[in-house]
Every structure is written in structure tokens, then in C-alpha cells.
Amino acid sequence: MAEKKITIGLLTSGGDAPGMNAAIRAIVRVGIARGAKMIGIKRGYAGLLAEEFIDMDVTTVCETIQKGGTILQTARCPEFLTEEGENHGAKICEKHGLDALIVIGGDGSFRGALSLAKRGVNVIGIPGTIDLDIPCTDYTIGFDTAINTAMSAIDKVRDTSSSHERCSIIEVMGRNAGYIALYCGIANGAEDILLPEFYDGNEQAIINNIIANRKKGKSHHIIVNAEGIGHSNALAKTIEAATGIETRATILGYLQRGGSPTCTDRVHASTMGALAVDVIMEGKKNKVIAYQNGQYVALDIEEALKMKKDISRYQFEISRLLSL
Ligand code: ADP
Ligand code: F6P
């Protein structure tokens, strides 16, 4: 008797991230190469609950590796935060005969996946978020593209800021984490970097730094502020009132989340997507694909969600010396 074909579902959830399509492409193509039936689920957990299932084959993912966003669309689904929603989700996976469900998303999406695992669904998580804020992994798909997009934008703001001898506060995304702000702060040579992890709310210290830099002859003052701190417009007003230096706030917003993924994101996404399928084929259950110390690994999802990681205090501290 012929062996039953394995059926693998996949969805993207939470904020989209450049490289998600490269991951979808890898999952579908490696899945088909390994003999699985591949089912795409649209709009994250919302689409799961609404049974928005589509068959996927090698041609469905043609021309996608270079595209930002996610061809499966994504959503935040409040219903999935309820027990009723989670029970319903697990029943739908069973009804459609899913042997495994691959979830590409952030920490929240993994918590949703864990709730399905507890209801008997075999789930595999792939870290996809521009924020880099998933503790179990050194890399999350989308981060490299986002920081490069933000870095280019900040370079442009700097041109005009220097020309007008202004102070510029540039707010970058990252939810409650400061990774995008730290990387851009260093890469853009910011005079101040405000991170949710370390900022003590001392506006006077920022004002003193601006005055000292002006005295040294600097024609601009770039402050990279993390979204987790926010209030960039209010801070701009406070600085202008205290220093007399024209100060402008620029909130980069969603442009950081779009665009064609960088080579780094395409390669991580392709490798993680392939590994997710191979982990299923090996009969493993309830894993998160992570990148740790230069290696791709599959971790137990429950353990992965208990992990913690710290942003580098050393990089933060030296950033002040780099902008002397
Ligand atoms: P991300 O995955 O990028 O962290 P969210 O935190 O918004 O984004 O999570 C995406 C979706 O995952 C939520 O809209 C919800 O449907 C689901 N989710 C988040 N947290 C949980 C949780 N604790 N339990 C179940 N589902 C969750
Ligand atoms: O998680 C990615 C992210 O872009 C965060 O940096 C930001 O806080 C959030 O999503 C914004 O979410 P939304 O698209 O719901 O406004």
C-alpha cells in the first residue's frame, strides 16, 4: 500500500518582514521535493480560523524571493488569544489533516503556535520579525533589510540636518526592543542612541551633549530614538526650547518593514525554511528554528519561549566614543 503523503501547512503571522517570501518559497519547494503536500494558509491565525487554505506548488512561489512583504498576507488575530480561538484553530488543523504547521512570525506568533502544540498540533516556528527580539535566536528574518533601509534613510536626514545645522531625532521601529536603534545608531554615527533597555529618561544629559558637540564645532546632532521610548516630537520641542537649536523629529515608520530583502535575509530565510521541512521529515515535533553561534538549530518550542537575551551594553557604550 502506498504511504500516505505528509501534509504541511504554513502561515505568516504578526508584522510582515522582508524575507518571509524567501522562507515560504523554501518551505514549499523543499516540501514538494521531499514528497509532501503543501498548504498555504492566508492571513495568519485569522485565516486559519476562517479556513483560508490554498494548495501551493513550485510555481505558486515563482518570482517571490526578491519581494518584500508576504504573499500569504499576515494579520494580528485577537480571537486567537482566547481559549475558544485556540481550540477552534487546533480542530481546523485536524479537519484539514495537517501533519505539521509551520508558523513564520515573531514571539507572539510562537506563543500562538505553542497553544496549538498543547492541543496536539505539530508546530514548527521560523523567526520572522524586523525587531530581532526573539530571545532563542541570534537572527530573525527581516532585520538586515530593515536596518539597511533605516540606515539609508538616516543618512539622507543627516545631509539636510547638517546643511541646516539642526538637531535631528530619528525614531526607528523595534517595538519594545532597541536592536534596530542600536545598529542604526552605530552605523549612522549618531551622537545619541536612546534604547528602551538602557534609557533613564534623562533629557538634560541629551541637552548637555548637544551643547558640548556644538561647542566642538559639529554642524549636526543625530539622535536615534527607539519606538519603545517614543515621544520624539515632544523631545524635539524640549531640546529646541533648551538649546535654541532648531530640532526636528522624523518617524521612519513602515518604510522600514517593506522592500526587497537583502542577500543576508534571503539566505537565512531560505535555509531556515528548508530546515523547518527537514525537521518535520525527520519526525521531530514542536520546534523553533533558530540561528545560534553561526549554526542553524531546532529547539523545543516551549524551552525556546522561556529563553532570554540581552542587547549588548558594550556596543551601546562604545557608540558614545564613536561619535566623539
Ligand atoms: P509577532 O508574532 O510579530 O510577535 P504579535 O505579538 O502581534 O506579533 O502576535 C501575532 C499573533 O499571534 C497575535 O495577533 C495572536 O493571534 C497570536 N498570539 C500572540 N500572542 C499569543 C498568545 N500568548 N497566545 C496565543 N496566540 C498569541
Ligand atoms: O514587529 C514588527 C513591528 O514593525 C514593530 O517594530 C512595530 O512596533 C509593530 O510591528 C507595528 O505593528 P503594526 O503593523 O500593527 O502597526
Side-chain angles (χ1 to χ4, degrees):
M1 210 172 76
E3 253 186 61
K4 184 189 160 273
K5 228 180 184 187
I6 282 189
T7 302
I8 301 176
L10 66 145
L11 58 81
T12 48
S13 168
D16 63 299
M20 280 184 166
N21 286 327
I24 294 169
R25 170 179 174 272
I27 293 164
V28 170
R29 292 207 166 150
V30 175
I32 284 168
R34 304 285 192 233
K37 178 172 159 54
M38 304 305 296
I39 310 253
I41 299 161
K42 303 206 82 175
R43 300 183 184 83
Y45 294 122
L48 174 68
L49 297 180
E51 295 181 67
E52 293 185 66
F53 286 45
I54 49 167
D55 287 335
M56 297 192 86
D57 62 30
V58 288
T59 58
T60 332
V61 291
C62 280
E63 294 292 332
T64 58
I65 195 165
Q66 77 282 17
K67 288 190 177 142
T70 158
I71 56 165
L72 286 175
Q73 271 98 41
T74 186
R76 307 207 197 259
C77 174
E79 203 186 334
F80 212 70
L81 295 167
T82 65
E83 243 191 86
E84 218 184 330
E86 291 167 347
N87 287 336
H88 188 199
K91 282 204 185 100
I92 288 167
C93 290
E94 198 187 337
K95 175 178 160 191
H96 288 264
L98 298 190
D99 296 292
L101 174 67
I102 300 177
V103 172
I104 310 168
D107 217 49
S109 301
F110 288 177
R111 287 183 200 284
L114 178 60
S115 74
L116 289 174
K118 290 190 169 154
R119 289 163 176 79
V121 182
N122 179 20
V123 294
I124 309 291
I126 295 183
T129 167
I130 63 166
D131 302 336
L132 197 69
D133 61 347
I134 303 182
C136 69
T137 184
D138 299 340
Y139 195 74
T140 62
I141 295 165
F143 178 68
D144 188 62
T145 307
I147 51 174
N148 278 291
T149 303
M151 182 185 74
S152 303
I154 296 169
D155 280 343
K156 293 181 173 82
V157 175
R158 184 184 177 135
D159 288 344
T160 168
S161 194
S162 301
S163 303
H164 285 264
E165 298 174 88
R166 285 176 177 158
C167 169
S168 283
I169 303 169
I170 300 147
E171 187 173 310
V172 296
M173 275 187 166
R175 205 182 287 208
N176 299 317
Y179 294 98
I180 298 177
L182 178 62
Y183 273 66
C184 288
I186 292 173
N188 291 100
E191 277 69 28
D192 278 294
I193 307 175
L194 311 184
L195 306 180
E197 293 85 351
F198 302 136
Y199 183 55
D200 58 6
N202 187 350
E203 292 179 347
Q204 193 55 49
I206 301 170
I207 290 163
N208 294 346
N209 198 25
I210 296 168
I211 294 167
N213 279 329
R214 247 333 116 100
K215 282 192 185 140
K216 269 193 250 162
K218 281 206 178 191
S219 60
H220 64 269
H221 192 100
I222 302 290
I223 301 170
V224 174
N225 185 27
E227 172 188 26
I229 294 171
H231 305 292
S232 296
N233 283 304
L235 182 60
K237 284 200 181 102
T238 305
I239 290 171
E240 188 163 312
T243 62
I245 297 167
E246 271 191 319
T247 304
R248 299 281 194 270
T250 304
I251 296 167
L252 292 187
Y254 292 107
L255 71 85
Q256 295 161 93
R257 225 161 67 183
S260 179
T262 60
C263 179
T264 295
D265 273 321
R266 295 181 199 195
V267 173
H268 277 302
S270 300
T271 313
M272 287 179 172
L275 184 57
V277 170
D278 281 336
V279 160
I280 295 166
M281 292 299 164
E282 285 164 17
K284 293 183 181 152
K285 289 196 185 319
N286 303 327
K287 301 286 179 193
V288 165
I289 306 301
Y291 187 69
Q292 292 183 335
N293 305 314
Q295 303 288 329
Y296 297 96
V297 291
L299 309 171
D300 174 79
I301 189 168
E302 195 153 17
E303 293 307 310
L305 281 169
K306 286 184 198 147
M307 291 179 183
K308 303 250 175 284
K309 80 173 169 187
D310 293 321
I311 198 161
S312 168
R313 185 171 274 281
Y314 177 74
Q315 282 181 315
F316 175 65
E317 280 169 3
I318 54 124
S319 73
R320 299 198 68 90
L321 308 180
L322 298 174
S323 63
L324 276 180

